[in-house]
Amino acid sequence: MKYSPSTGCFYLDNRACAHLPDDVIVVPDDQARAAMNARAAGSTLEVIDGALTITAPNAQQTLQTARARAAQRVRESAARAIKSGYVSVALGDARTYPSTPDDQSNLLSAHAAQTAALWCMDGSGAWDFAAHTPEQTAQALADWTAHLQTLQLKHAALQARIAAAQSPQELDGITW
């Protein structure tokens, strides 16, 4: 295996590469695997005196990396939750409405138009493109807004816990 400090990349020995960087060094396969795993865990790689050296992150760097990963994990979970639908009683009984970005746009358009049909799923799991009066559309929008606000408040609270966490282990316990 070969490693280039200028690109930070590893190159396989058994592959012809027309344009290897000028600074590649040969690294034993087991050391290359260890270096890749260490880098994924937050270590940095340097070439010192022609040899690949792994530098473990300090506690602050480890905590910052763990915070960044936890924040990203929570952001992705919040995005999935926002797009996973919501429940509204706009038609008199509890129905699930879709909430992808397109569905959100359609709901706003339906509300502005004062009448429209919206997709919703009844309690038996059957989807229907059901007609809604202006009042029903307003109720579906109000229910969506309340649902979205709840998710945003949860997201903000989790991000605050992430910012206050004092250890990677504490961050591991912060989930959606």
Side-chain angles (χ1 to χ4, degrees), residues 81-94:
I82 288 169
K83 295 185 283 188
S84 70
Y86 68 101
V87 175
S88 175
V89 294
L91 295 178
D93 58 334

Side-chain angles (χ1 to χ4, degrees), residues 3-6 8 10 25 27 31 35 39 43-56:
Y3 175 76
S4 166
S6 64
F10 287 91
I25 62 166
V27 179
Q31 185 184 4
R39 184 167 56 186
S43 294
T44 57
L45 306 180
E46 293 180 86
V47 175
I48 299 174
D49 295 328
L52 184 61
T53 304
I54 301 169
T55 304

Side-chain angles (χ1 to χ4, degrees), residues 10-35:
F10 287 91
Y11 300 88
L12 296 172
D13 287 328
N14 62 353
R15 301 246 176 159
C17 188
H19 302 289
L20 281 175
D22 293 333
D23 63 348
V24 293
I25 62 166
V26 175
V27 179
D29 288 350
D30 59 336
Q31 185 184 4
R33 278 191 295 281

Side-chain angles (χ1 to χ4, degrees), residues 54-106:
I54 301 169
T55 304
N58 64 38
Q60 185 61 29
Q61 290 168 323
T62 300
L63 182 57
Q64 288 172 344
T65 299
R67 276 189 181 132
R69 288 182 179 151
Q72 181 63 29
R73 185 177 64 244
V74 166
R75 267 192 305 278
E76 290 170 357
S77 294
R80 278 192 302 277
I82 288 169
K83 295 185 283 188
S84 70
Y86 68 101
V87 175
S88 175
V89 294
L91 295 178
D93 58 334
R95 293 180 180 232
T96 300
Y97 288 71
S99 60
T100 66
D102 284 345
D103 296 312
Q104 295 171 41
S105 177
N106 291 341

Side-chain angles (χ1 to χ4, degrees), residues 102-114 118 137 141 144-145:
D102 284 345
D103 296 312
Q104 295 171 41
S105 177
N106 291 341
L107 178 58
L108 292 173
S109 296
H111 180 65
Q114 292 291 302
L118 296 169
T137 303
L141 180 59
W144 161 247
T145 302

